[in-house]
């Protein structure tokens, strides 16, 4: 069976048995700050298992794209060296939310594996949790598996938990025997130690317990099922292959890699490993970029960057010295397009982002080799002949050098590397990354809100801006339940009926007032801490608010209308960007407030002035057309089929809201919008910038704020007319003429400064000393900038032939330093190391290359001491 046929057969099997087929969620988890990437099929159903969310179906089946590169699910170092480990993979899963349990889950699994996939029963083995007698009896007595082929394992292998607390339970696995020719021995022992002879095909998790904070297990009122089957492993078994890399999911990719590298596969050596690593990583790279991740130095972007650099380096080892991964992305898309058609429209963008990162790494790799040579020279000069761990880590972290590359290069020079020191630095970096990625900062304490998940709340924000009577269901003060809030106090309110929109999908929450005959309070924000619960931040202005009290709720309608203008304008902006820049444009973030809108999107270059003008023109054209804005409740599948844009990072429910602006824009969106595009009035882009590689940001204003923005521009133009004493039509010509005159004067000043410096080279103010045969030249100036110092240092290097130069200047209340070392001396004296210590004397810092470095500081009065420090440092070095 081909991979596509396996996906189809799996989904059809469970659809016939009453399961809702749910599309794969993004690799970027939505509303789950505990995860860096989606790593299992159950991730998108986590809130259902936790009881925080309800859906109309109690059975589901998915084919979920997953990534495992960090945490306890980290297969990175195994990739390419085993036949079954991957970074990116697809997980087939069926789920029961309090519906069927062990008997049905086991029966479905056995039926699919033996009747549909027709795997020979004699090759299948079962593992269960050692205390799970119910599972043993079902497998043994009902399914008919001989007890000799049912193995019991402990908690480490056959007990699953969602976290330190929460749902958990025993699990049962189906293993397939590839044959004794791989490895002979006891099946129990081989499965226990993970022999390649046995492939774990399917894991059935029986969520029947809840673990509390003390570690005690309690029965769950509605036991559930979570299963996971690796597509790549099942494809290998069904296609009669010993390795996942020999299936139709990988073979076209491996052939493309062999064409790129002029290598043959398989040959049985290390080149096979490199080819498999590239094949694995380019799949992960393609899907990560396609889901909106961009290379960066932290969080998800750092993982992507490491994967690109790791694969690129393997290409180097196979003889490639230029970017090549970006071309392989098209092969990935060709293999996966039937299951993930959205990749087709993103291919151009994916390739461009990948190419840009490859080019960046090619440059840093060359730079890294220079640094390695420097560290090697230092190690050779020392008695230890070991390159320190922090230096190895810098090569790894900054330049993407794998540790084995450092070891290989070090061995060539009869050196070693400090692996223990490197691992220590690596762990510090990993901890820093865990703390810095965006999701970590968004972890919220939700336990207090879970007490109120049973409350019946009726939102009416689409229909109304005011509710005359609504009951106060609950109050929260300082994170704890409260009976009342008194005058001057702040807290949180839960209402039975609310007209307030809760912050979601980039749109800020509503504000307004709550009032009664003896109370008034200001609603400052509205948010949803857990699905289905709407909470209002309240400041009591007068009187007292109590639980059970009835109040009137009134939204700030002026503010809401401004928000709705910006939200509909965001949809028009999105559609306009796609029409003018291309279909690769996709929203990756947004902010919709009453003052402005911010829209982040995928694009590989800065927008030109002409592109910005065209986008503005198109949006304003659609505003003037006064297009009707309509909404429709539908399913996610139907919405996508109608051509609606879905944001991959968003987590959609069973029912979605389709927002149309005429025939120009269709998006799945739960926000507040205008009734007709003409209500927006006027749209103006105020900035366009880069926020990461391949990610752009546009900020814009509409309505009254757009008018205020243009009015401010008009005011500035009138002031410029007054200052330049010309009419508006002549402003540009006048400004260009003044700039030209200014440039000519600056050039004249630069020439005069250079002339002064040449004369200074003959003056007695220059100090020339000699230390063990090395010339040391110092000179101090007044009013000379850093550029002039650099040029003069180059002149002096040529003049002295061999030596060390330290120049200093005091200008505009700052100190400027330049250190230059001639090429014959950089093996023992490095300018970038000297400058760091010298710069501290003038209250600053700096850096550069071994042959040239510069610095600035805030204490120019210490220049003489800085020059003396340079002399002292040189004496110590020599």
């Amino acid at each position: 069976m081909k991979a596509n046929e396996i996906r189809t057969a799996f989904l059809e099997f469970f659809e016939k048995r009453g399961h809702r087929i749910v599309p794969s969620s993004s690799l970027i988890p939505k509303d789950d700050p505990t995860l860096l990437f989606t790593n299992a099929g159950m991730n998108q159903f986590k809130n259902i298992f936790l009881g925080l969310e309800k859906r109309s179906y109690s059975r589901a089946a998915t084919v979920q794209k997953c990534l495992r590169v960090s945490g306890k699910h980290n297969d990175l170092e195994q990739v390419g060296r085993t036949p079954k480990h991957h970074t990116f993979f697809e997980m087939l899963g069926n789920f029961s939310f309090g519906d069927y349990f062990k008997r049905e889950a086991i029966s479905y699994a056995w039926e699919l594996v033996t009747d549909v996939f027709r795997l020979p029963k004699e090759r299948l083995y079962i593992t269960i949790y050692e205390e799970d007698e119910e599972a043993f009896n079902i497998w043994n007595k009902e399914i008919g598996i001989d007890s000799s082929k049912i193995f019991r394992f402990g908690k480490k292998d056959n007990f699953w938990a969602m976290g330190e607390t929460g749902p958990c339970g025993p699990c049962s696995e189906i293993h397939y025997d590839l044959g004794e020719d791989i490895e002979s021995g006891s099946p129990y022992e081989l499965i226990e130690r993970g022999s390649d002879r046995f492939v774990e095909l399917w894991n059935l998790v029986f969520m029947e317990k809840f673990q509390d904070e003390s570690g005690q297990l309690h029965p769950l009122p509605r036991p559930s099922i979570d299963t996971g089957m690796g597509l790549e492993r099942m494809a290998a078994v069904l296609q009669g292959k010993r390795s996942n890399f020999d299936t139709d999911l990988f073979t076209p990719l491996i052939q493309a890699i062999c064409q790129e590298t002029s290598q043959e596969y398989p040959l049985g050596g290390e080149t096979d490993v490199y080819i498999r690593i590239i094949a694995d990583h380019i799949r992960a790279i393609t899907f990560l970029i396609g889901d909106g991740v961009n290379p960066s130095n932290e969080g998800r972007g750092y993982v992507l960057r490491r994967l690109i650099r790791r694969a690129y380096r393997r290409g180097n080892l196979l003889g490639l010295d230029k970017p090549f991964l970006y071309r392989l992305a098209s092969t990935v898309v060709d293999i996966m397009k039937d299951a993930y058609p959205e990749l087709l429209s993103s291919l151009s963008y994916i390739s461009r982002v990948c190419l840009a990162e490859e080019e960046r790494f090619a440059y840093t790799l060359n730079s890294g080799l220079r640094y390695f040579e420097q560290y090697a020279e230092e190690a050779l000069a020392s008695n230890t002949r070991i390159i320190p761990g922090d230096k190895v880590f810098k090569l790894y972290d900054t330049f993407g050098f794998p540790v084995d590359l450092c070891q290989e290069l070090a061995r060539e020079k009869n050196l070693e590397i400090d692996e223990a020191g490197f691992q220590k630095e690596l762990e510090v970096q990993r901890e820093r990354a865990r703390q810095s990625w965006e999701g970590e900062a968004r972890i919220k304490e939700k336990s207090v809100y879970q007490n109120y998940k049973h409350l019946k709340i009726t939102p009416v924000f689409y229909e109304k801006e005011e509710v005359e009577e609504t009951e106060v269901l609950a109050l929260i003060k300082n994170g704890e339940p409260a009976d009342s809030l008194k005058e001057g106090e702040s807290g949180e309110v839960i209402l039975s009926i609310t007209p307030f929109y809760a912050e979601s999908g980039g749109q800020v929450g509503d504000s307004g007032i709550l009032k009664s005959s003896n109370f008034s309070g200001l609603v400052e924000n509205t948010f949803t801490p857990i699905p289905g619960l709407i909470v209002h931040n309240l400041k009591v202005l007068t009187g007292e608010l109590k639980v059970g009290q009835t109040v009137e709720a009134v939204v700030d309608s002026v503010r809401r209308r401004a928000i709705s203008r910006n939200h509909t304008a965001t949809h028009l902006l999105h559609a306009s960007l796609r029409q003018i820049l291309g279909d690769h444009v996709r929203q990756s973030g947004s902010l919709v407030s009453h003052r402005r809108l911010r829209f982040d999107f995928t694009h590989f270059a800065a927008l030109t002035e002409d592109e910005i003008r065209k986008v503005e023109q198109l949006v304003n054209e659609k505003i003037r057309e006064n297009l009707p804005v309509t909404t429709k409740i539908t399913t996610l599948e139907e919405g996508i089929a109608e051509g609606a844009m879905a944001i991959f990072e968003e987590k959609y429910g069973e029912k979605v809201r389709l927002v149309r602006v005429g025939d120009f824009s269709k998006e799945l969106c739960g926000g507040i919008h205008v009734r007709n595009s003409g209500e927006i009035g006027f749209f103006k882009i105020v900035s366009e910038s880069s926020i990461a590689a391949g990610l752009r940001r546009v900020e814009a204003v509409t309505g009254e704020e757009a008018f205020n923005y243009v009015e401010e521009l008009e005011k500035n133009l009138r002031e410029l007319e007054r200052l330049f004493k010309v009419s508006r039509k002549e402003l540009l010509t006048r400004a260009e003429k003044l700039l030209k005159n200014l440039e000519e004067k600056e050039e004249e000043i630069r020439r005069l400064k250079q002339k002064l410096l040449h004369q200074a080279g003959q003056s007695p103010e220059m100090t020339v000393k000699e230390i063990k045969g090395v010339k040391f030249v110092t000179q101090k100036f007044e009013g000379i900038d850093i550029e002039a110092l650099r040029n003069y240092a180059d002149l002096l290097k040529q003049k002295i032939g061999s030596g060390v130069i330290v120049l200093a200047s005091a200008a505009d209340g700052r100190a400027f330093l330049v250190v230059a070392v001639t090429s014959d001396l950089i093996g023992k004296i490095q300018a970038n190391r000297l400058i760091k210590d010298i710069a501290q004397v003038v209250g600053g810092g700096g850096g550069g290359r071994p042959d040239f470095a510069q610095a600035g500081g805030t204490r120019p009065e210490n220049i003489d001491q800085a020059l003396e420090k340079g002399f002292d440092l040189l004496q110590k070095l020599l």
Side-chain angles (χ1 to χ4, degrees):
M1 285 178 96
K2 301 285 188 185
N4 272 334
E5 294 170 330
I6 297 170
R7 291 190 195 96
T8 301
F10 179 88
L11 294 176
E12 286 181 350
F13 177 88
F14 283 103
E15 188 173 31
K16 288 175 183 175
R17 287 153 183 80
H19 291 66
R20 172 69 62 85
I21 305 306
V22 180
S24 171
S25 63
S26 168
L27 285 173
I28 305 171
K30 177 66 177 173
D31 289 337
D32 189 349
T34 64
L35 285 177
L36 199 59
F37 296 106
T38 299
N39 61 19
M42 62 78 59
N43 291 161
Q44 67 169 310
F45 304 115
K46 184 175 178 180
N47 281 338
I48 303 177
F49 287 124
L50 289 171
L52 301 176
E53 183 181 344
K54 290 184 179 179
R55 300 194 187 173
S56 64
Y57 52 86
S58 57
R59 301 180 174 201
T62 65
V63 177
Q64 175 65 50
K65 49 192 177 184
C66 300
L67 195 78
R68 291 185 177 177
V69 288
S70 59
K72 68 177 182 179
H73 297 301
N74 185 357
D75 296 334
L76 188 60
E77 296 305 322
Q78 296 296 315
V79 170
R81 299 193 176 278
T82 76
K84 58 190 178 184
H85 284 97
H86 304 289
T87 52
F88 173 87
F89 63 98
E90 294 172 84
M91 187 177 284
L92 314 177
N94 60 291
F95 306 89
S96 163
F97 313 119
D99 188 328
Y100 62 82
F101 198 47
K102 288 183 190 179
R103 178 170 285 102
E104 294 89 340
I106 290 172
S107 176
Y108 289 154
W110 189 252
E111 184 182 356
L112 180 65
V113 167
T114 58
D115 292 353
V116 178
F117 292 156
R118 298 187 179 281
L119 292 182
K121 296 178 182 179
E122 64 273 14
R123 289 201 171 201
L124 296 173
Y125 289 77
I126 308 301
T127 68
I128 61 170
Y129 178 52
E130 57 192 359
E131 298 175 9
D132 194 349
E133 294 302 326
E134 182 184 3
F136 176 84
N137 288 331
I138 295 170
W139 282 116
N140 179 236
K141 295 177 180 177
E142 298 183 26
I143 302 298
I145 308 294
D146 191 88
S147 59
S148 64
K149 298 182 76 176
I150 304 173
F151 303 142
R152 297 175 186 261
F153 290 107
K155 272 195 171 185
K156 177 177 174 291
D157 296 303
N158 279 73
F159 196 92
W160 181 90
M162 189 176 287
E164 296 296 324
T165 62
C168 58
C171 58
S172 179
E173 297 163 345
I174 301 175
H175 292 258
Y176 184 80
D177 185 357
L178 291 174
E180 284 193 45
D181 58 310
I182 294 177
E183 186 176 6
S184 60
S186 157
Y188 178 92
E189 292 175 1
L190 293 175
I191 289 174
E192 185 178 33
R193 62 180 174 81
S195 167
D196 286 342
R197 172 179 160 184
F198 287 90
V199 180
E200 179 198 322
L201 291 179
W202 207 342
N203 187 13
L204 317 177
V205 178
F206 312 127
M207 279 194 244
E208 60 185 13
K209 303 288 185 181
F210 186 92
Q211 183 167 295
D212 63 23
E213 292 176 353
S214 67
Q216 292 294 310
L217 297 178
H218 308 279
L220 275 177
R222 297 178 68 216
S224 296
I225 292 294
D226 159 28
T227 83
M229 174 203 296
L231 173 64
E232 293 77 9
R233 295 184 181 190
M234 183 57 81
V237 169
L238 291 177
Q239 292 171 25
K241 307 296 182 183
R242 294 288 177 87
S243 168
N244 297 356
F245 291 97
D246 294 334
T247 67
D248 64 324
L249 288 165
F250 285 94
T251 48
L253 199 45
I254 287 175
Q255 288 167 7
I257 295 166
C258 289
Q259 287 178 354
E260 287 279 349
T261 59
S262 300
Q263 298 282 344
E264 291 185 20
Y265 179 92
L267 292 176
E270 197 69 7
T271 58
D272 290 357
V273 176
Y274 299 155
I275 288 169
R276 289 193 292 266
I277 288 173
I278 294 169
D280 171 272
H281 286 14
I282 190 59
R283 288 179 8 125
I285 291 162
T286 300
F287 275 90
L288 280 171
I289 299 173
D291 273 6
V293 179
N294 281 275
S296 70
N297 284 328
E298 60 183 29
R300 299 179 179 113
Y302 182 74
V303 171
L304 173 59
R305 173 162 285 169
R306 292 289 305 132
L307 288 172
I308 292 174
R309 294 185 170 192
R310 204 167 184 269
Y312 183 88
R313 178 58 193 158
R314 268 55 187 187
N316 285 172
L317 296 172
L318 293 171
L320 297 175
D321 59 1
K322 292 181 180 178
F324 68 98
L325 294 169
Y326 73 100
R327 288 194 293 270
L328 296 175
S330 62
T331 307
V332 176
V333 172
D334 193 52
I335 296 168
M336 308 295 265
K337 64 187 177 187
D338 291 337
Y340 306 98
E342 67 274 8
L343 287 173
L344 285 166
S345 61
S346 301
L347 176 57
S348 174
Y349 173 73
I350 292 167
S351 298
R352 282 175 178 261
V353 172
C354 188
L355 173 60
E357 183 61 22
E358 286 187 87
E359 289 174 337
R360 187 180 291 110
F361 181 49
Y363 173 79
T364 56
L365 191 62
N366 290 332
S367 302
L369 285 169
R370 290 201 300 272
Y371 275 90
F372 176 83
E373 291 299 329
Q374 178 188 325
Y375 299 153
E377 288 291 333
E378 292 169 5
L380 286 167
S382 71
N383 293 327
T384 61
R385 300 183 71 82
I386 295 174
I387 300 176
D390 62 330
K391 300 288 174 47
V392 177
F393 179 76
K394 182 176 180 180
L395 290 169
Y396 169 86
D397 192 49
T398 305
F399 302 108
F401 268 47
V403 180
D404 54 0
L405 173 61
C406 283
Q407 287 174 324
E408 186 180 322
L409 294 171
R411 277 196 297 269
E412 290 174 5
K413 296 178 179 290
N414 293 316
L415 295 171
E416 296 179 12
I417 67 168
D418 174 14
E419 276 198 77
F422 166 78
Q423 290 297 336
K424 184 179 178 182
E425 293 285 338
L426 183 62
E427 189 51 45
V428 169
Q429 193 278 336
R430 282 175 174 163
E431 183 59 34
R432 190 165 58 244
R434 279 193 289 267
Q435 292 174 0
S436 71
W437 73 278
E438 186 182 350
E440 198 71 30
R442 294 186 289 110
I443 293 177
K444 297 176 183 176
E445 180 53 63
K446 296 183 178 181
S447 58
V448 66
Y449 302 114
Q450 291 175 11
N451 299 326
Y452 306 113
K453 64 185 179 183
H454 64 281
L455 294 177
K456 182 172 172 45
I457 297 168
T458 305
V460 294
F461 43 73
Y462 291 133
E463 302 87 22
K464 298 180 179 181
E465 293 181 349
E466 184 175 346
V467 173
E468 291 184 0
E469 291 189 353
T470 179
E471 183 185 351
V472 176
L473 298 178
L475 293 171
I476 300 168
K477 185 169 69 174
N478 299 324
E480 298 292 335
D483 295 323
S484 67
L485 289 175
K486 295 182 172 60
E487 187 171 315
E489 291 183 336
S490 295
E492 295 166 357
V493 185
I494 300 172
L495 302 173
S496 61
I497 306 171
T498 179
F500 293 92
Y501 178 84
E503 181 177 348
S504 178
Q507 179 177 323
V508 298
D510 275 336
S511 61
I513 58 171
L514 299 182
K515 59 183 179 179
S516 66
S517 58
N518 56 4
F519 153 81
S520 68
L522 180 67
V523 175
E524 297 175 319
N525 188 31
T526 311
F527 65 100
T528 304
I530 60 175
L533 187 67
I534 298 175
V535 178
H536 312 76
N537 291 123
L538 182 78
K539 182 174 183 179
V540 179
L541 300 177
T542 61
E544 183 180 8
L545 184 66
K546 295 182 179 180
V547 173
Q549 187 174 335
T550 299
V551 295
E552 182 181 356
V554 183
V555 174
D556 182 341
S557 59
V558 173
R559 181 175 179 272
R560 177 186 274 192
R561 280 194 288 274
I563 293 169
S564 66
R565 283 194 294 268
N566 284 335
H567 204 150
T568 307
T570 301
H571 286 215
L572 293 177
L573 172 61
H574 192 183
S576 298
L577 286 166
R578 286 175 63 84
Q579 186 167 315
I580 288 161
L581 302 179
D583 288 343
H584 66 276
V585 168
R586 197 181 68 225
Q587 178 177 337
S588 70
S590 70
L591 171 69
V592 179
S593 73
H594 64 295
R595 294 196 180 279
R596 65 189 175 102
L597 65 91
R598 187 185 73 210
F599 187 76
D600 300 339
F601 60 98
T602 53
H603 188 56
F604 34 77
L607 270 66
T608 64
E609 288 184 15
D610 186 53
E611 287 170 336
I612 291 173
R613 181 181 57 80
K614 286 179 178 177
V615 169
E616 280 187 335
Q617 282 181 340
L618 186 53
V619 172
N620 282 301
E621 177 186 314
K622 297 305 171 184
I623 290 171
R624 289 191 299 273
E625 288 177 10
N626 199 28
L627 301 171
V629 179
T630 59
T631 61
K632 169 185 170 183
I633 304 301
T634 182
T635 64
L636 177 61
E637 294 79 6
E638 288 171 355
I640 298 295
E642 286 190 41
M645 285 292 297
I647 313 305
F648 282 110
E649 291 78 6
E650 283 296 324
K651 185 175 181 180
Y652 295 102
E654 185 184 353
K655 293 292 184 180
V656 295
R657 192 164 172 263
L658 173 59
V659 177
R660 293 173 180 261
V661 186
D663 292 325
F664 183 68
S665 166
K666 297 177 190 175
E667 287 196 31
L668 302 181
C669 175
I672 306 288
H673 289 272
V674 297
R675 289 163 297 183
N676 299 284
S677 63
E679 293 178 31
I680 298 168
F682 177 52
F683 171 88
K684 180 65 183 169
I685 292 175
V686 298
S687 72
E688 189 276 340
S689 59
S690 170
I691 55 172
L695 275 183
R696 308 300 300 179
R697 170 172 290 172
V698 163
E699 298 195 49
V701 286
T702 67
E704 187 179 351
E705 288 295 330
F707 173 80
N708 293 339
Y709 177 80
V710 172
E711 190 174 48
E712 183 67 21
L713 291 179
E714 281 287 317
K715 180 183 173 184
N716 291 338
L717 282 170
R718 287 193 296 270
E719 185 64 19
L720 286 172
E721 286 177 307
R722 187 186 66 78
L723 288 172
F724 286 124
K725 296 182 175 60
V726 294
S727 68
R728 189 168 300 188
K729 288 182 180 179
E730 298 171 295
L731 267 177
L732 189 59
T733 305
R734 179 68 168 155
E736 287 173 344
K737 186 177 179 181
L738 283 172
L739 282 173
K740 186 177 180 182
N741 288 340
L742 187 60
E743 288 170 2
E744 289 172 355
K745 298 299 182 188
E746 286 176 346
E747 177 61 23
E748 187 177 346
I749 291 168
R750 192 187 67 79
R751 286 197 304 269
L752 288 170
K753 283 182 177 180
Q754 288 297 323
K755 188 175 180 181
L756 284 170
L757 284 171
H758 283 292
Q759 292 171 353
Q762 313 298 325
S763 75
E765 292 179 17
M766 179 190 289
T767 304
V768 181
K769 298 179 182 179
E770 197 166 300
I771 308 168
K772 294 189 177 180
V774 175
K775 290 177 186 173
F776 180 62
V777 179
T778 62
Q779 197 162 3
K780 182 175 73 170
F781 300 93
E782 292 288 338
I784 301 298
D785 61 26
I786 195 74
E787 184 183 359
L789 283 183
R790 285 199 302 263
N791 293 335
Y792 184 49
D794 286 337
L795 179 73
L796 284 180
K797 279 173 74 174
Q798 294 173 19
K799 188 173 179 180
I800 66 172
S802 175
V804 177
I805 299 159
V806 180
L807 304 178
S809 174
D812 301 323
R814 287 182 58 80
F816 297 106
L817 298 170
V818 165
V819 176
V821 179
T822 54
S823 58
D824 60 314
L825 297 174
I826 59 173
K828 49 187 175 181
I829 305 164
Q830 289 83 42
N832 52 343
R833 300 184 71 182
L834 280 175
I835 199 82
K836 286 182 180 176
D837 290 326
I838 298 172
Q840 291 176 9
V841 180
V842 294
R849 306 185 305 270
D851 64 324
F852 184 89
Q854 65 183 49
T858 57
R859 296 202 292 270
E861 66 274 11
N862 293 350
I863 279 177
D864 289 331
Q865 294 97 304
L867 296 176
E868 289 173 12
K869 177 82 170 180
F871 181 74
D872 293 340
L873 288 169
L874 194 61
Q875 276 190 312
K876 289 177 183 176
L877 284 170
L878 296 173

